[in-house]
Every structure is written in structure tokens, then in C-alpha cells.
Amino acid sequence: MIQLEGVSARHGSTNVLHNLSIRFENQRRTVLLGRSGSGKSTLLRLINRLIEPSSGTIRYGNQQLAQMDPLELCRSIGFVSQHLGLFPHWTARKQIERFHSHPQGIEELAASLGLDPQQLDRYPHQLSGGQQQRVALARALASNPPVLLLDEPFSALDPLLRLELQNLVMGLDKTILFVTHDLREALRLGDQIVFLRAGHIAYDGPAHQIHASDDLEVRAYLETLES
Amino acid sequence: MTSNMIQLIFEHLILVVVAVAAATAVAIPAAIWSYRNPGPGALVLKLTDIVQTIPSLALFGLLLPLPLLGGIGAKLAIFVLFLYALLPILRNTILGLENIPAAIRESATALGMSPGEILREVELPLAATSIIAGLRIATVTTIGTATVAAAIGAGGLGVLLYRGLATVETELLLAGALPAALLAVAADRLFQWIEGKLSISPQQH
């Protein structure tokens, strides 16, 4: 369980998140939804301490996040961003092997994400966008972390590939926080949806109840489904 | 004549190798530090930049009266060559580190790598081609500048050049100039070859 209490965050001198209190349950998929600049990526990066909050506390299980060793913490949290950040000088196999402590073997893990052994011996630039995405996911899962943070990981993929990878994510037995600005993706993936509007919570609840929200921006988002 | 030339080429190489090696040992850590502390780092870069603009003969003259370091001989020559070699290595190392996409560094941190591990396993390998290019520029220019070192009695191929100039003997001039030029070309090729070996993914993320 990850719990934020009165958390604010800043980018330079501007406040990006304002006094947020949210609870992320274990083994559930929470989608952080909102427009660009709403603070969802910042919120995600608070969890693995890539960004530190300016105030408030975050609890990770029964520990205070701020008191945990950042390196240890990062090893227990998988992270994939939109830009992937694969290391261009390492083969896919090495990217996974370097962080591997999973009960599943590397090839087995890769195969479960749709990568064959031949692809493992290629460098990132020799792989397609979808394959790179799978490598990034395999690398994030290599240490068998209980928590997975995904920042718009599939936004650059074609719709069919996107669907396939969404299904892969849904098959994972993890606590997942997933950032997207796409309502369809949020409704498909999320057990819980947290909708951010300019750093405030506009909606926080079960995905299937978001239709009942009376927040204007949430409503505007919902209307895009009908068009 | 031949044995004398071999001796001078050898002296020349010693001047270059010692100066560039010392500059590398100082400039690469300095570049890493400057990169991590951009404020004072810019000052370091500015300082080496200023050194670069002073004509070499003038710098020899300026430092000649200094105790310990100054005086006629190879010691001062190596120090001046070292100062000149700093900038290209420093600048190229910083450039190489700066060109690494932020997403790569972020993902390395998020994977739980320590700053030291990120430097060794990710940043330096990715900056390697740029660093080698800096070494190439430093070596080639040092081979050229080292000919001036003969003016303060440091030996090397400059000895033949100065003697040739003084006596207006084309043969002597060429005996100094040709090996120096060949050395520079050879060093350039060698480093280009290493750069080629090291260059990995041409695609930027």
C-alpha cells in the first residue's frame, strides 16, 4: 500500500501538485489521468523518489518513503517512461541481465512479454518501437518488483500493438500506477482512476464510477468518448 | 644525422605523451566535476579557454622566470603543453556527458543504479567517442605546439626546425617539419580508428 498525505510538489518555483492525499492499494492498477501538465508524471516520480515532495508525507507499506534508502527503494519499484531510456550501448539481454533477480529466467521473462531469444541479442536501435517497449518492460520487471510505475509507456505505439501491451500489463500480478491522458486506456486498464486537474484531484475512485463525476473537466473528458 | 633524428623524434614523442597523459588525468575528472556542478564548472571551462588563447611562445616566456617550474628545459615545455591539451579534452568530455538524453539517466536512476555505477556503466561509455575525439584534437595540436618547445631547450623536432630557420637550410627544415607532420597525421588516424571502434548505436534516443 502506498499512501500520500498532504503531498505538494514543485517544479522550480511553481507548484505542480497541491496538498494531495491518495491511497494506492496493493495488487491494484491505478490510472493517473489528466491533461498534459496536470502533474500526473510528477506524482508518479514521487513514488520512486525521482522527485521529492516539497511538503507532506508518503508511506510505502509501513515505512516512510523519505526514510528509505533511495537505491533500495528503486530496486523494489519498476519504472518505464514514455522515452524508455534504454541504454543504446547494451543488447536487450544485457539491459535485463544487469538488473535480473527474478525467479523466472531471462529468456522466460522475455518470452512472457513477447520477445524471442534472437531479439535479446540485438541493440535497441536494431529493434522496432514495440520491441523496445517490451525490452523496457522486461528490464523494469527484471528485479521482480512488487510495484510498477508506467508513464505513458505505450503512447507512441499503433493501436493494435498498444492493445496487446495493455493486455500484457493487465496480466501482471503487481501494484501498478499507470499515467495516461487517454480516457479509453484508463477505463480499460484501471481498477482505480485518479483524475488530476492542475495539480488537484478532480476524481479519485473506482474506474467504473467515473461516469458519475460532476467535475467539469472530467465530464469534458467523458464527452470525448461519445464523439 | 639519422641517429640524431631518431633521438629528436623520441624526445618529441616523450613531450607529447607525458603532456597529453597528464592533461587526460586532470581533464576527465575535472570535466565530470564541472558537468555535475555547472555553475563553477563553467568557470573551469572559461579558465582553460583563456589559457588556449595565449600564444604558446608568449606562455613559455611568461612562465620561464617562475621558480621550480620555470627555467630552460623539458619540464616547463611539458607543463605548457599540458595546459594547452586540457581544453579539448575537458570540453569534449563535458559535451559527451551533456549529450546523453535525460531519459537514459532517469531510467538508470530509477533502476536503482548508484551515481558511480551510472558514471562507469552508462555515462562514460556513452561519452567515449566524444572523449576520444577530444584526445585526438589534444594530441594532434600538442605534436604541433611541441615544435615550439625547442625554443626553451626542451629538445624534440623543433631543434631541427629552428636550426634550419637560422641557417636557411631547407634540408634541416624538412628534416624537422616532415616527421612532425607525419606524427600528427599518424596520431590523427590512430584516434579516428579508435573512435570508429567505440562508436556504438548511431541512433539517438
Side-chain angles (χ1 to χ4, degrees):
Chain A
M1 188 259 306
I2 299 162
Q3 190 160 10
L4 283 72
E5 285 159 21
V7 168
S8 299
R10 255 174 223 180
H11 250 316
S13 56
T14 35
N15 275 323
V16 187
L17 297 174
H18 307 270
N19 198 22
L20 303 187
S21 297
I22 316 170
R23 204 179 142 99
F24 303 110
E25 299 294 341
N26 283 345
Q27 307 290 313
R28 286 168 67 88
R29 290 185 301 273
T30 304
V31 174
L32 306 177
L33 186 62
R35 303 182 64 181
S36 303
S38 59
K40 49 197 195 304
S41 291
T42 305
L43 174 54
L44 195 76
R45 283 165 176 75
L46 289 173
I47 310 300
N48 60 355
R49 293 184 66 185
L50 290 176
I51 296 173
E52 297 287 348
S54 52
S55 63
T57 56
I58 303 171
R59 298 177 67 78
Y60 182 79
N62 49 13
Q63 284 179 283
Q64 298 273 2
L65 204 67
Q67 278 151 21
M68 295 175 71
D69 174 43
L71 297 184
E72 286 296 315
L73 178 76
C74 280
R75 285 176 201 135
S76 76
I77 298 180
F79 176 82
V80 180
S81 80
Q82 191 182 354
H83 306 288
L84 305 186
L86 291 175
F87 305 137
H89 59 309
W90 285 0
T91 61
R93 185 186 302 278
K94 180 149 189 217
Q95 320 247 0
I96 302 165
E97 204 168 43
R98 169 65 176 77
F99 306 98
H100 188 259
S101 58
H102 201 285
Q104 260 184 338
I106 290 166
E107 297 201 351
E108 213 181 323
L109 173 67
S112 75
L113 295 170
L115 284 167
D116 62 51
Q118 274 179 323
Q119 289 163 344
L120 282 180
D121 293 319
R122 299 201 184 131
Y123 289 91
H125 73 276
Q126 298 168 318
L127 296 168
S128 71
Q131 289 161 350
Q132 290 183 13
Q133 221 87 20
R134 291 173 214 262
V135 174
L137 208 51
R139 184 176 69 171
L141 292 169
S143 63
N144 198 19
V147 179
L148 193 58
L149 308 178
L150 303 169
D151 187 5
E152 302 193 39
F154 309 142
S155 55
L157 300 181
D158 71 62
L160 292 180
L161 208 52
R162 196 168 177 169
L163 197 67
E164 192 192 329
L165 284 159
Q166 284 170 351
N167 287 338
L168 276 176
V169 166
M170 288 170 76
L172 296 171
D173 190 20
K174 308 270 175 201
T175 304
I176 294 174
L177 270 67
F178 192 106
V179 166
T180 182
H181 52 70
D182 179 352
L183 181 61
R184 282 171 206 275
E185 189 165 57
L187 290 171
R188 229 182 107 67
L189 282 176
D191 300 311
Q192 181 189 0
I193 291 179
V194 173
F195 192 109
L196 289 178
R197 178 172 27 80
H200 295 276
I201 297 172
Y203 176 83
D204 177 10
H208 63 272
Q209 284 176 15
I210 195 169
H211 297 277
S213 167
D214 52 10
D215 182 89
L216 285 179
E217 198 166 292
V218 177
R219 295 239 55 89
Y221 245 79
L222 289 166
E223 276 162 26
T224 63
L225 281 183
E226 288 147 23
S227 62
Chain B
M1 178 71 189
T2 334
S3 70
N4 187 29
M5 253 190 67
I6 289 169
Q7 162 80 19
L8 290 174
I9 289 174
F10 185 70
E11 281 175 12
H12 204 89
L13 281 176
I14 292 285
L15 290 175
V16 173
V17 170
V18 174
V20 174
T24 307
V26 172
I28 291 179
I32 294 166
W33 183 85
S34 301
Y35 167 70
R36 292 200 170 154
N37 306 276
L43 210 68
V44 173
L45 202 60
K46 191 86 213 152
L47 215 67
T48 47
D49 212 12
I50 290 169
V51 172
Q52 204 78 6
T53 58
I54 306 172
S56 52
L57 212 49
L59 196 56
F60 281 125
L62 278 173
L63 297 175
L64 208 55
L66 286 187
L68 289 175
L69 194 69
I72 295 290
K75 197 165 60 176
L76 177 62
I78 286 173
F79 181 71
V80 170
L81 296 176
F82 156 81
L83 287 181
Y84 281 120
L86 283 175
L87 182 71
I89 304 173
L90 191 77
R91 196 165 42 195
N92 272 53
T93 306
I94 295 176
L95 212 66
L97 292 171
E98 279 176 350
N99 279 343
I100 299 170
I104 289 182
R105 208 169 276 114
E106 186 185 55
S107 74
T109 309
L111 284 158
M113 294 175 89
S114 69
E117 288 172 336
I118 295 174
L119 183 69
R120 280 194 309 276
E121 296 178 52
V122 180
E123 290 177 319
L124 286 180
L126 290 180
T129 35
S130 181
I131 297 172
I132 298 294
L135 283 176
R136 177 167 61 82
I137 298 163
T139 308
V140 171
T141 51
T142 306
I143 290 171
T145 318
T147 54
V148 184
I152 57 157
L157 289 165
V159 171
L160 297 177
L161 276 171
Y162 279 106
R163 217 179 282 159
L165 280 173
T167 57
V168 205
E169 272 188 65
T170 318
E171 273 175 33
L172 267 180
L173 263 174
L174 287 178
L178 276 179
L182 285 176
L183 276 182
V185 172
D188 191 59
R189 282 298 156 91
L190 175 71
F191 280 107
Q192 271 186 20
W193 180 77
I194 299 173
E195 271 173 62
K197 285 268 155 199
L198 281 177
S199 85
I200 22 111
S201 142
Q203 182 175 317
Q204 286 293 310
H205 272 253

